[in-house]
Structure formats: structure tokens, C-alpha cells
Amino acid sequence: MFDVQAMRSGYGDMAVLKDLTFSIKDEIFAVLGANGAGKTTLLKTLARLLPLQSGSMKLGGADVSATPAHAMPSAGVAYVPQEGNVFPDLSVAENLSIGGRTGHRPKEEKLEEVFDLFPRLKERLSQAAGSLSGGEGQMLAVGRALMQDPKVLLLDEPSAGLSPIFVDTLFSSIEKARKESGVTIVLAEQNAVKTLEIADRVMVLSLGEMHLLREREGLEMKDITEAYHI
Ligand SMILES: Nc1ncnc2c1ncn2[C@@H]1O[C@H](COP(=O)(O)OP(=O)(O)OP(=O)(O)O)[C@@H](O)[C@H]1O
Ligand SMILES: [Mg+2]
């Protein structure tokens, strides 16, 4: 899906990600790392919201190193930011409807799939998104992104601030969405334990550098915690 070569990216002249080379296949690709490690910077760069300072990136074989952010949804990339990922004054139904404008399938068909993943949203269609609980808000943000029929879904810490039971529900829905629609998922997370349950491969970032990139199979928590603290 993504093929990234020597990615350097950050804010102004400051580089946060210094030299990242990796590819993301058709999989659940987890990005782990402590606060400030560069997870959000990486997802924003993949979504083209931050310019590459140097290096290149391809999406499905096509060079997207200079593609504007607004062209990424129609190229198949949906991005769910860490915060501010729904329109708080609009209803649940309106939020989903806005997401559903891209893609070719009828909106109703996609809505049914989202309700199947997140039945709770169906019960709250007319409620303002800003009045949802934290967990419901994350469900709406993921549901809205899925309404774009993406090939790649970039999720920035969807479990942040959620109670364990909500994290379980959300993560099983993410796994189900992957199984049913085949969407590639890039999941930035702090919750390493839960992430290991669903990821196919895991990258650990520390101070903007990649300290581990491995298949989940055979990976142990101690490998991850070691990479966190390099
Ligand atoms: N807008 C910005 N301007 C300047 N520096 C920034 C900006 N946003 C983030 N940074 C810096 O970039 C580094 C990486 O931040 P980033 O948000 O990517 O980390 P993160 O891994 O997502 O952390 P968290 O788990 O806390 O969300 C940090 O040192 C941060 O201070
Ligand atoms: Mg972040």
C-alpha cells in the first residue's frame, strides 16, 4: 500500500522523523511509541498534512510525495486524527453522511455496514456528535472514515481515554472492519497490549527513529518495552 523511502518530516525546519524507510502491506500495521515519539507526525505525513522535508512515498505504486492532502481521500486514504475527529455541532447522521460522499457505493449500503460494526451509533443518529461519550465519539470518527470506503485507514490513538471495555469493543470492531472490507489499517497506539492482539506487524518509534519493525508472530512485550526505551 504505502512504500516510504528515507522519510524526513516534522515542523518547519525541525525534523521529527529523520530517516524512515518501510512499507505498509495489506495488513493491520501498528505504530507504537511513547508520548512525543512521532506517531502523530508519521500519520499526518502519510495523510499528506505535513510536507516531506526529504525522501519519498508511494501509494499503491504511485508517487504521492507531493500530492495535496485534499486529494488523499479520493486516492483511498482516510485519516482519523487523535483529536477533533468529528463535527461536534452536527448530528451523528450528518457526520456519517459527510464521510460518505467519496467512493462509488450507495451511501445506504455503507451506512448499514457501519451500523453493523457500531450498533450504538444507530441508536443515536439525531444526537449532536459533541454530546457523545468519548467511546461513542471514537466509534463515530472511525465510522465516518469507513464511509469513505477507504483502501487505507489511518487511526491515531483511537483508544486514548477510553475505559477497557470500550477499548475491547472498539478494537474488535476495527478487526472486523479489516476482515469484512479488507481495508489496510495503520494504527498508532500507546496501548501496546491491546494492539498486539490485532496487529499483523508492529513498528516502534522512539524520538522519531524506528527501533523495531517485526511481524506480531513471536513478538513479546519485552521486545516492545526494550525498543521503547532505546
Ligand atoms: N505543531 C508542532 N510544532 C512543533 N513541534 C511539534 C508539533 N507537533 C508535534 N511536535 C513535536 O514533535 C514530536 C513528536 O510529536 P508527535 O505528536 O508526533 O508524537 P506522538 O508519538 O503522537 O505522541 P502522543 O502519544 O503524545 O500523541 C514531539 O517532540 C512534539 O513536541
Ligand atoms: Mg500523537
Side-chain angles (χ1 to χ4, degrees):
M1 279 296 167
F2 274 111
D3 201 356
V4 172
Q5 290 290 331
M7 173 189 275
R8 184 184 161 96
S9 169
Y11 305 89
D13 292 337
M14 184 192 69
V16 172
L17 307 173
K18 284 156 199 121
D19 183 17
L20 289 189
T21 296
F22 63 96
S23 51
I24 296 172
K25 302 181 277 193
D26 188 14
E27 61 187 338
I28 297 185
F29 183 91
V31 182
L32 297 174
N35 291 116
K39 304 181 295 298
T40 296
T41 306
L42 176 56
L43 262 55
K44 280 188 177 161
T45 311
L46 293 175
R48 302 289 314 119
L49 292 162
L50 282 175
L52 281 176
Q53 294 168 337
S54 59
S56 67
M57 51 188 269
K58 287 182 180 170
L59 175 65
D63 192 286
V64 290
S65 308
T67 302
H70 65 77
M72 291 308 271
S74 48
V77 177
Y79 168 58
V80 180
Q82 194 165 354
E83 280 160 358
N85 51 25
V86 296
F87 295 103
D89 297 332
L90 300 184
S91 69
V92 168
E94 287 163 338
N95 267 280
L96 290 172
S97 179
I98 287 172
R101 285 182 308 180
T102 49
H104 303 292
R105 290 194 300 138
K107 198 186 274 185
E108 292 68 31
E109 191 178 310
K110 293 188 279 184
L111 264 181
E112 281 314 311
E113 290 171 7
V114 170
F115 293 150
D116 180 47
L117 285 176
F118 304 114
R120 212 177 253 251
L121 293 180
K122 197 171 185 176
E123 299 158 16
R124 287 173 166 71
L125 281 178
S126 57
Q127 192 173 328
S131 67
L132 294 172
S133 75
E136 292 161 358
Q138 288 296 9
M139 290 176 179
L140 177 58
V142 175
R144 186 159 74 86
L146 286 172
M147 289 291 291
Q148 292 180 23
D149 244 350
K151 293 193 196 82
V152 185
L153 180 58
L154 307 174
L155 296 178
D156 198 351
E157 289 200 49
S159 81
L162 303 191
S163 64
I165 186 99
F166 252 110
V167 178
D168 286 349
T169 312
L170 186 68
F171 272 45
S172 23
S173 302
I174 291 171
E175 202 174 20
K176 189 171 169 195
R178 156 99 194 121
K179 285 205 179 99
E180 288 179 358
S181 70
V183 63
T184 292
I185 295 174
V186 184
L187 177 64
E189 264 296 338
Q190 296 264 5
N191 190 333
V193 175
K194 286 303 298 179
T195 301
L196 275 192
E197 290 176 14
I198 66 167
D200 297 300
R201 279 195 307 153
V202 178
M203 172 194 278
V204 177
L205 287 178
S206 178
L207 297 176
E209 290 181 10
M210 183 163 65
H211 285 288
L212 182 142
L213 178 58
R214 270 176 60 180
E215 301 280 331
R216 182 236 342 230
E217 200 76 26
L219 194 59
E220 292 177 22
M221 268 313 286
K222 75 166 173 38
D223 302 319
I224 293 184
T225 40
E226 273 169 25
Y228 258 65
H229 298 296
I230 290 170

